[in-house]
Amino acid sequence: MFGLDGRVAVVTGGSRGIGRAVAQALARQGAQVVINYAASEAAAGEVAAAIQSAGGRADLARFDVADEAAVEKAFREIRDRYGRTDILVNNAGVAVDGLLLRVREPDLERMLSVNVKGAIWCARAATRTMMRARWGRIITMSSVVGEMGNVGQVAYSAAKAALVGMTKSLAREYASRSITVNAVAPGFIETDMTSSVPAERKDELMRVTPLGRFGTPDDVAAAVAFLASEEAGFITGEVLRVNGGLHM
């Protein structure tokens, strides 16, 4: 099930954490994976090498998703190399936490540019070949805080909530071309990004998560692989919560 043989998948922010797990999961299902990164070529190269050593196919594409021109250029190059983009996983994101009174304009601008504008630019570029093929999958990484909010994450929550609205609008806009658009909203996932969360906060989150554990990048990647598959062809405009019951 969930075979992706012959599909071309672009995973933004694919050099670590959830993005790394997603790239590996899609490759295991047979997709040619293009791993986007903005800064760490070494980390992205490690992901590609791991995929290739397991018998999968992976390539790298360096560009800043917040740079509209760079996104257009990168997707043209992907089209020239592979003929199309079948699957887009909008995973690239940044988080700068802070209470409302401490929100700074540069931090807000960067979060909106990467998390929201970046997802829009990539979706626009990817759909050009999806429309011609009359098949496509766009999966965007939102967050549990985009639905339920969180103290000290007003800007990040706003950006992640915006992705839900984007997902639903794109799902309506492209349904006639058999392009599905969905979001995944992870809860607390053990990654480098969450490693700095204070122990007392982790204890509190564990207490209110009904499944009694934190998620892993592989938990999220499995959900993405499903949404990218033929089997998920009648699912669009949805937010798939991967949060252990933290928010229902």
Side-chain angles (χ1 to χ4, degrees):
M1 291 182 69
F2 310 153
L4 299 173
D5 291 340
R7 298 298 185 188
V8 178
V10 177
V11 180
T12 67
S15 65
R16 62 182 183 140
I18 291 173
R20 177 185 182 118
V22 167
Q24 291 176 317
L26 297 180
R28 282 196 299 271
Q29 300 306 316
Q32 163 66 57
V33 178
V34 179
I35 302 162
N36 157 258
Y37 66 99
S40 181
E41 184 173 3
E46 288 176 5
V47 181
I51 289 172
Q52 291 162 357
S53 67
R57 295 173 297 155
D59 198 357
L60 303 181
R62 181 173 188 170
F63 60 92
D64 182 352
V65 299
D67 184 334
E68 180 184 3
V71 169
E72 292 290 337
K73 179 175 182 291
F75 277 85
R76 282 197 303 271
E77 291 173 351
I78 292 168
R79 180 199 62 204
D80 292 343
R81 189 178 309 140
Y82 297 111
R84 66 196 186 282
T85 297
D86 300 303
I87 300 161
L88 167 66
V89 182
N90 278 319
N91 172 74
V94 295
V96 181
D97 295 342
L99 297 171
L100 176 60
L101 294 178
R102 296 178 181 175
V103 173
R104 298 171 61 249
E105 197 279 336
D107 295 334
L108 177 60
E109 174 60 27
R110 183 60 180 160
M111 275 192 283
L112 292 176
S113 292
V114 174
N115 297 359
V116 183
K117 289 182 182 178
I120 291 173
W121 300 148
C122 288
R124 185 179 67 182
T127 53
R128 290 195 172 97
T129 58
M130 291 180 182
M131 285 192 293
R132 286 196 292 272
R134 300 190 71 86
W135 196 98
R137 301 284 187 266
I138 298 174
I139 301 145
T140 296
M141 209 61 62
S142 182
S143 170
V144 65
V145 301
E147 294 191 288
M148 64 182 286
N150 192 36
V151 173
Q153 290 190 306
V154 60
Y156 183 69
S157 298
K160 289 300 186 177
L163 294 176
V164 173
M166 182 202 80
T167 293
K168 292 179 180 293
S169 294
L170 290 180
R172 292 183 181 276
E173 194 166 326
Y174 288 98
S176 65
R177 297 300 182 100
S178 297
I179 299 170
T180 68
V181 188
N182 293 287
V184 173
F188 190 90
I189 307 297
E190 294 182 305
T191 66
D192 292 343
M193 186 179 287
T194 60
S195 62
S196 61
V197 175
E200 59 271 20
R201 178 58 178 156
K202 288 184 178 180
D203 291 342
E204 179 185 351
L205 286 168
M206 181 74 79
R207 179 179 57 80
V208 297
T209 300
L211 284 183
R213 69 170 178 89
F214 295 140
T216 68
D218 287 338
D219 289 324
V220 182
V224 173
F226 166 64
L227 290 174
S229 70
E230 291 283 358
E231 287 82 352
F234 201 54
I235 300 172
T236 196
E238 292 298 323
V239 179
L240 179 53
R241 296 167 177 163
V242 185
N243 63 31
L246 178 62
H247 177 65
M248 300 184 187

